[in-house]
Amino acid sequence: MSRYRTVIGRAEYVDFVGSATVIPAKIDSGAFRSAVHATNVKEVSRDGKKLLQFELLGHPCSKDKFPLTVRRFTKVKVTSSNGKSESRYEVTLKIKLANKIYETSFTLADRSKNVYPVLIGRKALRNRFLVDVANTPVTLLELKKNFGVLAPEDEEDLEN
């Protein structure tokens, strides 16, 4: 295990390798799993094998949709911060976050009501990053300006 860890902020841009788009993501060290906005999620059979088809993104911060089909997927039970449990598909995707490119798991979720289409949890952060909550290259003010995202004022963003 390397002792060198990249310092990231409470919100960062993430690149889903192969999608040619950079998306704002909330860094959430309180969440165990990462999640990404996905739609039209369905299991299909092809040549006797189960596959999972879905459209990645298509969110106010990332209007482009990327159709994907994966062979490896699982179903996991996820409990949100408000205590609500639901079953979600979990897939492995290759991302670039800060200066690191790696594969990590994401649950597929409807994040259309969330400001950020991507949430990065502890599994994706562990042994790679340190989070400095005073630092953020992505502010809510910037998201409002660049993407028209309606979000409450963030006092931390106003202090900068």
Side-chain angles (χ1 to χ4, degrees):
M1 177 178 77
S2 169
R3 290 187 174 275
Y4 174 73
R5 298 212 176 101
T6 301
V7 177
I8 59 174
R10 59 191 163 86
E12 291 282 337
Y13 284 105
V14 64
D15 176 11
F16 284 90
V17 176
S19 71
T21 189
V22 178
I23 299 111
K26 178 181 178 181
I27 307 302
D28 188 349
S29 62
F32 179 64
R33 288 185 168 84
S34 298
V36 62
H37 181 73
T39 56
N40 300 320
V41 181
K42 60 185 171 194
E43 282 188 49
V44 297
S45 287
R46 192 176 301 149
D47 300 326
K49 296 180 182 175
K50 283 193 172 195
L51 304 172
L52 187 68
Q53 290 181 336
F54 57 96
E55 289 181 337
L56 189 65
L57 303 170
H59 180 277
C61 290
S62 59
K63 296 202 186 306
D64 294 334
K65 292 182 182 181
F66 304 95
L68 291 175
T69 301
V70 297
R71 285 183 278 165
R72 293 185 0 225
F73 63 94
T74 58
K75 265 199 155 174
V76 295
K77 185 177 179 181
V78 177
T79 303
S80 68
S81 59
N82 66 11
K84 182 182 171 193
S85 291
E86 68 178 323
S87 181
R88 291 187 194 163
Y89 288 102
E90 186 173 53
V91 300
T92 299
L93 300 170
K94 191 173 192 176
I95 64 169
K96 179 179 183 199
L97 177 57
N99 62 348
K100 299 183 186 296
I101 297 174
Y102 59 101
E103 288 187 342
T104 192
S105 61
F106 286 88
T107 61
L108 304 180
D110 177 356
R111 293 187 56 82
S112 58
K113 291 186 170 82
N114 297 88
V115 172
Y116 296 94
V118 178
L119 180 134
I120 303 291
R122 290 191 310 270
K123 278 177 70 174
L125 298 171
R126 186 175 294 131
N127 298 326
R128 293 182 179 100
F129 302 100
L130 293 175
V131 181
D132 177 358
V133 297
N135 174 27
T136 184
V138 183
T139 67
L140 289 177
L141 294 174
E142 180 183 343
L143 294 179
K144 287 177 187 179
K145 179 182 170 191
N146 294 342
F147 301 104
V149 171
L150 299 175
E153 291 295 330
D154 187 338
E155 290 180 36
E156 289 176 296
D157 290 345
L158 297 173
E159 290 176 2
N160 294 333

